[in-house]
Amino acid sequence: MAKRKSNEETPASSNRRRKPERKRHGLGTLVLLWPFFLLQRLTAGLPLPVRWGLRAIGHPIVLGLYAAIPMVLFYYARARNYDMAKVSEMPERSIVLDRHGEEIGRIHGEKRDIIGYSDISLDFIYAIVAREDERFFTHHGVDWIGFGRAMLRNLKDRGMTQGASTLTMQLARNSYPLYASWLDFSSPLQELDRKFLELAVSYRIEANYSKEEILQHYVNRIFWGHTIRGIEEASRTYFEKSAKDLDLSEAAMLAGIVRGPNAFSPFRDLSDAIRERNTTLDRMVIAKFITPEEAEAAKAEEIPIRPEWRRVFHDSWAMDSVRRELERVLEEEHIEFGGLQITTTIDLAIQNKAEEALNRHLRTFERRAGYPHETRAAWQEKPEPRPNPAYLQGSLVVIENMTGAIVATIGGRDADESKFNRATQAKRQIGSTFKPFVYAAAFEDGLRPDAMISDDRLARGEVRGAKNWSPHNSDGSFLGYQPVEVGLIRSRNTMSVRVGDYAGMDHVAEIANAVGFEQPMQMSPVSFLGTLEASPEEVASAYTVFPNGGRRWPPRLISEIRRHDGTLVYPDPDQERIISYQPLMGDAASTTARILGKVMDRGTGAAVKRLGFTSPCGGKTGTTDDYKDAWFTGFTSSLTCSVWVGFDQPKTIFDRAYGSTMALPVWVDVMKTAERLGYKATGLSSTEPFTEARVCRTSGKRATQGCEVAGTAYTESLPADQLPAEGDFCHEHDDVLAESLDKVLKAKVVDPSEAELEAAPKARPVEGEAVPKALPVEEEKIPRAVPVD
């Protein structure tokens, strides 16, 4: 008992020896709050004031980290949605080239040219870094030193007076739309959210691109005022040189005006631009990119700014036509984004010569004494804003026969003064220029070019649908019966109407539609004389069937389109394209071409030779009523060119303003230039085999003896399928032959058996002695032949 009692302890003694138990935290609490616990442990042994001071600073920092981590994850996740390839993709203008690779101009997209890092002046690289982001080559997208300095300055100034954007951050902002759709656009939270997202995207850009690539994309993307984008376009616009040729002074100026390109533009105020240049040079010295001596030397240099008279960029008719053609062959998104290389069929040398020739020739008429209209020079002297030009206009189109390629297109005298493209948009009556298609239709129906046809006045009811209408000829005369070809060579109206009536109105209309005239032909005999309205491009394209043996290639202006990386955009290799077709029979086309060649020798186009173009060619003039429109359309074996002269609002140019006077000389200048450039005229002979046959001029059929007697037979040399068939003989002169035979049969024949011949004297016998005898001659007296040496 005693022993057991001695081992027992009282509650009081037990409580004295027990140590207090430490409070235990759960595992989740430790994981979540370990930074606080770590701070507590690290500061536990420090003196009380120090310990509590560090904890007062440290706990808010840890709380800030707790808030920052979810934000970092949130913005990192949002930044992951942006395609980094978009940094290098930016709208740029499409470059337009002629068929030889010469630049014609640039269109669509933004006014920029994308270049590589190696094509940028090193002086400019240092200038833009010194001005915009001095620690660019050492930070990783965000300059935290600069960021902190800007925040302190903004707090001091109580406003957002200092920015902290690096070049990478600016590139992120310029490359992507960083605004949140769920926040109000004008809300301060929107700007704060955008800034955080910009930081996240900047880190992604730095991870995907080298510093050189970031600089390249940045300077290609930024704005330099006056719609200019990118360093190359800025350098060419302001200094007329490439970005790789910028010197230190020029580079510093371009870097200096970036922050206010419109405000500091040297075109607006050169003194402001010079001030920004000098500031940039000072920053380059601080950044140790240049020495103070180099900076002072650059400040002393004059700035060679593009002179004011060269700051206006002129439009051209070729570019206008390319814009219209692009809308036809490409979808809008391809066009507007730009960045395409468009190779056209234009020959820039011929294009420029055509524009110069048209202007020069029309100016000579405007300078004549008594010219009755406003001249272009007088219109140009009017104060701005000037009305739409009302002076004498002209247009022309040159097409390559065997391809349909448009070699030159001029829509007026100046593309800056008028945007109305007369080469493609103007529809004017084409007058006698239409007559070759009337004759070609008749030749398809078997009419011979040497067949005789009347040039006299039309008799009432003679021509279907004409009633009592009868046209006059331009010279007021009527020539009676003439070979058909004379009607085209000398542009005889009455003969042409009869030829059209022979072919039939439906057939002529069908030919007109087939060769490319868009407007339906008026179903009236007057249409045979050219009341159809068409553009110069339509007329030129239609005329190519004559030197092509009846084939036509639809006109085209663009040969190919490629993206910046060389990918072919047009033509689509999987899409079938119409190459050519045959709207006119080959023999009819060749016959018409031969007659149009004679037009240039002794017809309305004879002035071509006098003006110095002596190569084989064919063509036709055209003049509408009251001399409102003057045309000349002609071709060689290589090219066809159509020229129109007139006013936008139709009115008489002046008396006797014929196509041979107003339009033909322009054609000669253009075609002489083309020939010098290698577009040779090798002759217009048909490839069809020719056969000779005797043909009747009146009927156009094989000649008979009656035709020979009547004097209407002649020998024709034509392709075999164009001659009348072997058994297709003329019967119009059978009565002539019968009459001739009748006269022969009625002639008296002498027959010795007839009675009346008894009266003829008879031979009487001579009796014996009365008959003379032959006398013998002695041998010696016979004359001998004397030999001659």
Side-chain angles (χ1 to χ4, degrees):
M1 284 288 294
K3 186 176 180 180
R4 185 172 60 250
K5 198 177 218 181
S6 62
N7 291 334
E8 291 179 356
E9 296 180 353
T10 63
S13 62
S14 176
N15 288 337
R16 283 197 303 268
R17 290 194 297 268
R18 185 180 298 165
K19 295 180 178 179
E21 293 184 3
R22 181 176 296 173
K23 185 177 180 181
R24 297 183 180 276
H25 300 284
L27 180 60
T29 303
L30 289 173
V31 171
L32 182 63
L33 301 178
W34 69 267
F36 293 99
F37 294 138
L38 179 62
L39 180 62
Q40 292 288 103
R41 176 63 63 89
L42 292 174
T43 59
L46 297 174
L48 184 64
V50 176
R51 181 170 69 245
W52 285 107
L54 289 175
R55 288 177 179 178
I57 296 171
H59 283 304
I61 292 175
V62 173
L63 283 173
L65 289 174
Y66 270 82
I69 289 172
M71 286 182 63
V72 168
L73 293 175
F74 173 68
Y75 285 103
Y76 174 77
R78 286 176 63 187
R80 293 285 298 175
N81 293 325
Y82 291 94
D83 181 6
M84 288 293 104
K86 296 295 182 183
V87 172
S88 61
E89 296 176 3
M90 59 197 82
E92 62 176 316
R93 290 187 301 168
S94 294
I95 181 171
V96 180
L97 307 175
D98 82 341
R99 60 173 52 198
H100 303 299
E102 293 290 324
E103 182 176 332
I104 299 175
R106 303 192 178 215
I107 57 174
H108 298 307
E110 292 182 346
K111 194 175 181 182
R112 74 154 59 83
D113 298 318
I114 297 176
I115 58 174
Y117 183 83
S118 61
D119 293 323
I120 306 170
S121 163
L122 194 59
D123 284 332
F124 177 77
I125 295 296
Y126 291 149
I128 197 68
V129 169
R131 182 67 188 231
E132 295 294 311
D133 188 359
E134 185 179 333
R135 281 175 288 277
F136 172 76
F137 290 106
T138 57
H139 65 64
H140 299 287
V142 180
D143 181 7
W144 291 109
I145 296 175
F147 188 85
R149 182 185 300 159
M151 292 301 102
L152 290 174
R153 180 64 180 270
N154 290 334
L155 288 173
K156 181 180 178 181
D157 295 342
R158 296 183 180 181
M160 297 296 290
T161 60
Q162 290 287 315
S165 293
T166 63
L167 293 181
T168 312
M169 293 168 67
Q170 293 180 48
L171 180 59
R173 184 166 61 249
N174 291 330
S175 301
Y176 303 105
L178 300 178
Y179 289 95
S181 58
W182 62 84
L183 292 174
D184 182 48
F185 189 79
S186 59
S187 169
L189 290 177
Q190 177 73 264
E191 184 61 24
L192 188 62
D193 176 78
R194 183 195 63 80
K195 200 66 179 179
F196 284 134
L197 185 56
E198 184 181 297
L199 295 174
V201 173
S202 297
Y203 277 113
R204 285 208 63 208
I205 291 174
E206 290 274 347
N208 283 272
Y209 292 96
S210 68
K211 289 291 186 179
E212 289 77 12
E213 289 172 329
I214 292 171
L215 268 172
Q216 172 188 315
H217 300 324
Y218 173 77
V219 300
N220 277 324
R221 187 177 286 275
I222 56 178
F223 176 63
W224 255 286
H226 307 285
T227 73
I228 303 166
R229 302 276 179 174
I231 179 60
E232 180 71 6
E233 188 66 30
S235 179
R236 290 189 179 279
T237 300
Y238 289 125
F239 304 123
E240 300 183 292
K241 61 169 62 176
S242 175
K244 65 182 177 183
D245 299 323
L246 289 170
D247 62 26
L248 178 58
S249 178
E250 295 162 345
M253 176 172 283
L254 288 183
I257 68 174
V258 165
R259 292 191 180 184
N262 283 326
F264 303 139
S265 166
F267 287 172
R268 179 179 176 274
D269 191 332
L270 185 57
S271 61
D272 286 345
I274 290 175
R275 186 185 67 248
E276 295 301 315
R277 176 200 64 179
N278 295 345
T279 300
T280 302
L281 290 169
D282 292 340
R283 297 287 295 271
M284 294 177 74
V285 172
I286 294 171
K288 295 185 171 24
F289 289 137
I290 60 173
T291 65
E293 292 76 18
E294 289 174 322
E296 292 305 314
K299 290 178 182 178
E301 290 183 10
E302 276 193 41
I303 299 293
I305 297 297
R306 178 192 289 267
E308 187 171 357
W309 65 273
R310 285 208 298 272
R311 295 175 193 174
V312 177
F313 297 93
H314 297 285
D315 202 355
S316 75
W317 295 116
M319 294 296 290
D320 179 78
S321 297
V322 169
R323 291 188 194 98
R324 298 175 191 278
E325 184 71 1
L326 277 176
E327 293 174 1
R328 187 182 68 83
V329 301
L330 284 188
E331 296 178 354
E332 186 175 350
E333 58 267 26
H334 286 298
I335 298 172
E336 293 304 322
F337 195 75
L340 303 173
Q341 179 174 290
I342 304 163
T343 303
T344 70
T345 60
I346 294 290
D347 189 314
L348 197 54
I350 297 179
Q351 175 78 19
N352 292 337
K353 178 61 180 179
E355 186 167 353
E356 181 272 330
L358 182 66
N359 256 315
R360 175 172 47 81
H361 183 67
L362 297 188
R363 192 163 54 244
T364 62
F365 289 105
E366 291 179 331
R367 290 174 176 174
R368 288 185 177 183
Y371 179 74
H373 307 290
E374 180 184 52
T375 66
R376 183 185 176 203
W379 180 86
Q380 289 174 328
E381 291 175 359
K382 290 183 176 181
E384 296 283 0
R386 291 189 288 256
N388 290 331
Y391 52 74
L392 185 63
Q393 288 286 357
S395 64
L396 66 87
V397 175
V398 183
I399 294 182
E400 199 170 46
N401 296 333
M402 294 301 294
T403 65
I406 296 174
V407 177
T409 176
I410 308 296
R413 294 178 68 178
D414 193 295
D416 291 324
E417 295 175 357
S418 171
K419 301 303 180 184
F420 181 55
N421 192 328
R422 297 155 190 85
T424 56
Q425 295 177 287
K427 302 286 187 178
R428 302 298 288 266
Q429 283 192 3
I430 63 176
S432 295
T433 309
F434 183 69
K435 288 177 181 176
F437 303 100
V438 176
Y439 282 76
F443 294 152
E444 279 196 339
D445 287 342
L447 185 65
R448 305 273 63 78
D450 279 355
M452 302 298 287
I453 195 166
S454 174
D455 186 43
D456 292 332
R457 294 179 184 275
L458 298 182
R460 181 178 177 85
E462 178 185 357
V463 172
R464 289 165 289 185
K467 298 182 180 179
N468 62 346
W469 171 74
S470 181
H472 294 277
N473 292 309
S474 60
D475 61 0
S477 68
F478 298 96
L479 305 179
Y481 275 90
Q482 297 289 328
V484 166
E485 66 177 20
V486 171
L488 185 53
I489 294 170
R490 299 183 60 179
S491 199
R492 308 299 292 178
N493 288 337
T494 48
M495 294 178 71
S496 299
V497 171
R498 288 184 171 97
V499 169
D501 187 56
Y502 179 95
M505 204 171 299
D506 289 340
H507 190 189
V508 175
E510 179 186 354
I511 293 294
N513 177 258
V515 298
F517 289 115
E518 295 177 359
Q519 185 187 78
M521 191 186 84
Q522 180 184 354
M523 302 306 283
S524 168
V526 72
S527 298
F528 299 144
L529 303 182
T531 59
L532 184 75
E533 294 182 347
S535 68
E537 184 178 301
E538 287 178 74
V539 176
S541 178
Y543 260 67
T544 60
V545 300
F546 300 127
N548 282 346
R551 295 200 71 81
R552 176 178 181 260
W553 276 259
R556 60 185 181 88
L557 183 65
I558 297 175
S559 55
E560 73 170 26
I561 302 172
R562 293 185 180 274
R563 291 194 181 93
H564 195 74
D565 60 3
T567 305
L568 184 66
V569 176
Y570 173 86
D572 186 345
D574 298 326
Q575 184 176 358
E576 185 177 351
R577 298 181 66 197
I578 298 175
I579 303 302
S580 68
Y581 63 98
Q582 187 89 25
L584 190 63
M585 290 172 58
D587 54 359
S590 299
T591 299
T592 307
R594 286 196 300 134
I595 298 174
L596 292 175
K598 296 178 182 179
V599 170
M600 308 299 238
D601 294 328
R602 60 179 190 272
T604 56
V608 166
K609 298 293 191 295
R610 294 198 302 271
L611 292 173
F613 189 77
T614 57
S615 297
C617 58
K620 186 71 184 70
T621 56
T623 308
T624 60
D625 289 344
D626 299 323
Y627 306 103
K628 293 177 181 177
D629 301 277
W631 291 83
F632 183 79
T633 305
F635 52 83
T636 64
S637 58
S638 300
L639 302 175
T640 296
C641 174
S642 183
V643 182
W644 167 84
V645 174
F647 290 96
D648 289 338
Q649 299 299 321
K651 59 184 174 181
T652 300
I653 302 171
F654 51 76
D655 188 44
R656 304 181 70 81
Y658 292 112
S660 58
T661 304
M662 305 298 297
L664 183 146
V666 179
W667 184 93
V668 171
D669 282 354
V670 172
M671 298 303 275
K672 285 165 70 173
T673 299
E675 191 169 44
R676 286 196 299 269
L677 293 173
Y679 297 88
K680 298 298 182 183
T682 57
L684 300 173
S685 59
S686 172
T687 57
E688 299 285 335
F690 279 66
T691 305
E692 286 190 354
R694 296 290 286 174
V695 179
C696 176
R697 291 185 185 277
T698 303
S699 66
K701 299 183 179 183
R702 296 270 180 171
T704 63
Q705 285 290 59
C707 303
E708 299 285 355
V709 173
T712 61
Y714 71 99
T715 300
E716 177 68 285
S717 179
L718 290 171
D721 60 349
Q722 192 175 353
L723 288 169
E726 288 289 344
D728 189 13
F729 288 102
C730 173
H731 296 291
E732 292 188 18
H733 302 101
D734 290 349
D735 56 342
V736 177
L737 178 61
E739 182 180 347
S740 176
L741 290 173
D742 186 54
K743 289 180 180 179
V744 171
L745 290 174
K746 289 180 179 178
K748 294 183 178 180
V749 180
V750 177
D751 188 345
S753 62
E754 291 186 359
E756 63 264 26
L757 294 181
E758 294 293 335
K762 301 290 192 292
R764 295 192 297 271
V766 179
E767 296 181 0
E769 295 298 325
V771 179
K773 306 294 185 183
L775 298 176
V777 180
E778 293 180 2
E779 184 175 342
E780 291 80 356
K781 294 181 179 180
I782 300 173
R784 306 292 182 184
V786 181
V788 180
D789 292 336

